[in-house]
Amino acid sequence: MNDSENLDELLTRFGPKPKESFPVLRPQTELIKGLRQRGASFETIRQVLQHKGIETCPTSIRRFCRKVLGESTNPPSRKPKSARKSKAILAAGDRTSSVEPSTVQRHMPKSTDFSRQSHSEGPRIAKVEFIEEPKI
């Protein structure tokens, strides 16, 4: 044997052993997987594990779920505003039909109420009107 083969053998036999990741959580894999499938939060899972005598933190559980269970690292995102407005539903009595927004805007009557002028993109701000003068 030459020195490089001997060195590789020695390193394999006596070299540092990689630590097993999540040794406390691995025996509870099925429990954690079942709780996550039912929508349990990481904090809820921590409380369940604590009840079983296992001390851990929500961050470790989150990392375990992502690395071991293969959960997505990105939370489910909301659809962009343009995708939500792609179609408008018109109800006419019992009949409903799906119509493109441009068609809906052409057939809608113009409003003559000046208090409800065309709205701009951005936050909607409530218009507060008192029936009686507030008593201060």
Side-chain angles (χ1 to χ4, degrees), residues 17-18 34 42 61 72 77-78 82 119 121 127:
K17 305 263 191 276
F42 301 124
I61 296 168
S72 173
S77 62
R78 295 178 66 182
S82 61
H119 65 280
E121 293 295 322
K127 182 177 179 184

Side-chain angles (χ1 to χ4, degrees), residues 7 10 15 22 35 40 45 49-50 55 58 72-73 76 87 89 93 113 117 121 129 134 136:
L7 181 61
L10 287 173
F22 310 106
L35 289 169
I45 294 171
L49 293 173
Q50 184 180 25
E55 290 295 324
S72 173
T73 56
K87 290 189 176 184
I89 304 298
D113 185 6
Q117 294 178 354
E121 293 295 322
E129 296 180 16
I136 299 178

Side-chain angles (χ1 to χ4, degrees), residues 81 85 116 119-127:
K81 198 171 190 178
K85 287 186 171 182
R116 301 184 77 194
H119 65 280
S120 64
E121 293 295 322
R124 296 183 185 190
I125 300 173
K127 182 177 179 184

Side-chain angles (χ1 to χ4, degrees), residues 23 30 46 51 53-54 68 82 96 101 121 128:
E30 290 303 314
R46 184 199 65 79
H51 184 70
I54 300 169
V68 177
S82 61
T96 60
E121 293 295 322
V128 179

Side-chain angles (χ1 to χ4, degrees), residues 58-77:
T59 305
S60 294
I61 296 168
R62 178 180 51 84
R63 286 187 4 245
F64 173 81
C65 289
R66 290 186 177 160
K67 289 183 180 179
V68 177
L69 301 180
E71 287 187 3
S72 173
T73 56
N74 296 332
S77 62

